[in-house]
């Protein structure tokens, strides 16, 4: 018989404090979603009305051929209009992507006590954090997700501190993706019509994290969300989806795939990686590129995994619109700030669409 979680405190302690996570909740035998996970009506995802984003993925191998300029245009256009696109022939072996999904499932299949050793406050390493939802202490409704977060400082630190079950594969994913990220940032900065030093481009991706996210099968997916509406705080995010799907992006301006305000699904494409623009790139480009508001639904049939790499500036880095872009535009739409301040604001609040970007606006100083 499943334990009773009528008392909100007992559920919070079981899921969050004791490290059982949503998976522990599901494994306990619950037959319906506890009240603490029921989202307000306006936050629920009606996937019956979702539009699937059928645009073909961008073939990055064509950057080395006669179609180079066309591919650059495709990348910049996607970053300007939707903030999301998919890429193939990206340099990350497809076998590695399959291994990533396998090790993610294996990590979360472990007994709760094996994962809970990485909970905040008790984790043996400041580079590794196991958790659930996003900011559980501040959320009106919890998100149906468990995760392991691994901060990259060096290969040696990763191999010493990241969980044994996934460290080698996760590190290889990061190392084989970074060249692609660097190329994409170079292209996007170049399309702004400005020239910046290599050190400035490096600074935009100087801090890296790998997450493994786990969305257990949910008894009432229509009442919950895997991740609530938000934009990412960094420069670019690289995301590996599994074959189940459930990633939705909000359209900011009319495009072929949907009208402004629509939520469209980014369907999984075998062997592809999803790229999305973060708040940092929107600020640096003075609003030319759009950080994409996105969310994740849950499913009743299968547990889902996703593995993102977040590339951000280092916390000490100063971030603001590139001066040359401001000169072209005639106005600075965002202020300059230390990225640590942005991180504190981002992780200090529950997900709420693109509200995190308000911090970068002039009237928030």
């Amino acid at each position: 018989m499943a334990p009773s979680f009528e008392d909100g405190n007992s559920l919070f302690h079981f899921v969050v404090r004791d490290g059982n996570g949503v998976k522990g909740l599901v494994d306990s035998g619950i037959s319906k979603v506890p009240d603490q996970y029921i989202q307000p009506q306006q936050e629920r995802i009606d996937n019956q009305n979702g539009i699937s984003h059928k645009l073909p993925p961008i073939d990055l191998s064509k950057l080395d051929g006669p179609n180079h300029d066309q591919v650059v245009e495709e990348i910049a256009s996607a970053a300007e209009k939707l903030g999301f696109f998919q890429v193939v022939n990206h340099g990350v072996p497809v076998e590695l992507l399959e291994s990533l999904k396998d090790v993610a499932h294996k990590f979360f299949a472990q007994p709760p006590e094996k994962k809970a050793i990485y909970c905040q406050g008790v984790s043996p390493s400041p580079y590794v954090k196991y958790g659930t939802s996003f900011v559980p202490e501040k959320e009106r409704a919890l998100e149906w997700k468990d995760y392991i977060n691994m901060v990259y400082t060096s290969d040696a630190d990763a191999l010493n501190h990241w969980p044994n079950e996934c460290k080698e594969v996760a590190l290889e994913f990061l190392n084989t993706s970074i060249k692609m990220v660097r190329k994409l940032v170079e292209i996007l900065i170049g399309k702004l019509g400005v020239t910046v030093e290599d050190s400035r481009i490096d600074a935009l991706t100087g801090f890296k994290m790998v997450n493994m996210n786990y969305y257990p099968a949910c008894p009432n997916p229509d009442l919950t969300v895997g991740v609530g509406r938000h934009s990412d705080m960094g420069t670019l995010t690289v995301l590996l989806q599994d074959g189940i799907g459930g990633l939705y992006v909000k359209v900011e301006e009319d495009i072929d795939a949907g009208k402004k305000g629509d939520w469209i699904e980014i369907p999984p494409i075998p062997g592809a990686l999803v790229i999305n623009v973060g708040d940092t790139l929107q600020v640096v480009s003075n609003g030319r590129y759009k950080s994409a508001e996105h969310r994740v639904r849950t499913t009743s049939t299968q547990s889902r995994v996703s593995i993102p790499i977040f590339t951000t500036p280092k916390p000490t880095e100063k971030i603001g619109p590139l001066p040359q872009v401001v000169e072209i535009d005639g106005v600075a739409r965002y202020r300059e700030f230390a990225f640590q301040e942005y991180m504190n604001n981002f992780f200090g609040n529950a997900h709420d669409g693109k509200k995190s970007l308000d911090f970068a606006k002039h009237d928030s100083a």
Side-chain angles (χ1 to χ4, degrees):
M1 182 175 170
S4 170
F5 293 113
E6 297 301 323
D7 173 10
N9 285 334
S10 64
L11 180 139
F12 192 88
H13 279 279
F14 178 83
V15 173
V16 179
R17 298 276 166 79
D18 298 341
N20 288 286
V22 183
K23 186 173 190 303
L25 202 58
V26 171
D27 289 347
S28 74
I30 60 164
S31 58
K32 65 175 185 175
V33 167
D35 290 347
Q36 293 87 343
Y37 285 91
I38 297 178
Q39 295 287 332
Q41 187 70 44
Q42 68 273 18
E43 299 298 338
R44 299 177 194 173
I45 302 173
D46 181 4
N47 66 309
Q48 303 304 316
N49 295 329
I51 305 164
S52 192
H53 186 40
K54 297 262 189 339
L55 290 179
I58 297 172
D59 185 345
L60 295 186
S61 68
K62 292 184 177 179
L63 285 169
D64 298 324
N67 295 320
H68 174 274
D69 291 351
Q70 178 190 335
V71 176
V72 166
E73 287 296 334
E74 289 174 5
I75 291 166
S77 177
E80 288 174 359
K81 293 176 180 174
L82 188 63
F84 258 80
F85 53 97
Q86 299 200 64
V87 295
V88 293
N89 292 323
H90 37 60
V92 183
V94 174
E95 305 78 34
L96 175 60
L97 302 182
E98 293 306 311
S99 295
L100 267 170
K101 291 180 269 189
D102 290 343
V103 299
H105 277 289
K106 284 175 184 171
F107 176 84
F108 289 102
Q110 296 180 105
E113 60 273 14
K114 294 274 194 181
K115 296 173 286 188
I117 61 170
Y118 295 110
C119 283
Q120 190 166 8
V122 298
S123 178
S125 168
Y127 307 126
V128 183
K129 176 189 170 188
Y130 167 74
T132 191
S133 199
F134 181 62
V135 188
E137 297 80 6
K138 298 206 173 182
E139 291 164 345
R140 288 166 57 196
L142 298 170
E143 299 177 350
W144 196 263
K145 177 191 79 170
D146 299 332
Y147 66 88
I148 184 82
N149 167 256
M150 296 167 281
V151 173
Y152 178 82
T153 49
S154 70
D155 286 8
D157 282 342
L159 294 173
N160 283 331
H161 299 290
W162 291 6
N164 288 331
E165 296 77 16
C166 57
K167 63 185 182 184
E168 290 177 354
V169 179
L171 180 60
E172 189 178 351
F173 179 41
L174 176 65
N175 285 336
T176 53
S177 298
I178 287 307
K179 186 178 178 183
M180 170 190 63
V181 170
R182 166 74 193 220
K183 185 69 178 172
L184 291 173
V185 174
E186 282 179 357
I187 286 169
L188 291 169
I189 296 297
K191 284 297 289 180
L192 294 173
V194 302
T195 304
V196 299
E197 295 178 0
D198 285 353
S199 60
R200 185 70 184 127
I201 293 177
D202 290 338
L204 291 173
T205 58
F207 189 74
K208 306 168 190 72
M209 296 177 284
V210 182
N211 268 31
M212 288 187 168
N213 299 324
Y214 184 77
Y215 307 93
C218 177
N220 308 101
D222 54 320
L223 301 179
T224 60
V225 296
V227 181
R229 299 177 299 109
H230 72 289
S231 54
D232 293 346
M233 67 174 181
T235 301
L236 286 180
T237 300
V238 179
L239 175 73
L240 171 64
Q241 295 197 81
D242 64 11
I244 297 170
L247 172 63
Y248 288 77
V249 180
K250 189 174 185 179
V251 179
E252 284 204 15
E253 60 178 77
D254 290 356
I255 57 173
D256 291 343
K259 301 188 300 294
K260 182 176 180 177
D262 284 346
W263 285 92
I264 60 175
E265 185 169 12
I266 306 293
I269 296 174
L273 290 168
V274 179
I275 309 294
N276 71 273
V277 173
D279 292 348
T280 297
L281 192 53
Q282 178 161 336
V283 170
V284 167
S285 69
N286 204 32
R288 194 88 57 88
Y289 301 129
K290 307 293 191 300
S291 64
E293 183 175 344
H294 54 288
R295 59 187 183 178
V296 176
R297 67 172 163 83
T298 58
T299 63
S300 60
T301 53
Q302 292 172 281
S303 296
R304 174 179 181 265
V305 294
S306 68
I307 300 96
I309 296 171
F310 300 107
T311 66
T312 80
K314 289 182 178 176
T316 53
E317 200 69 40
K318 287 278 191 185
I319 298 301
L322 290 170
Q324 306 99 308
V325 179
V326 173
E327 194 173 326
I328 294 168
D329 294 347
V331 61
R333 297 185 176 91
Y334 304 98
R335 64 188 179 90
E336 188 177 69
F337 50 87
F339 193 66
Q340 181 69 65
E341 299 169 18
Y342 201 81
M343 291 176 71
N344 293 345
N345 176 71
F346 187 86
F347 289 115
N349 295 285
H351 284 146
D352 189 8
K354 289 185 67 169
K355 197 171 180 182
S356 57
L357 200 56
D358 291 346
F359 179 85
K361 294 176 181 173
H362 284 288
D363 56 7
S364 72

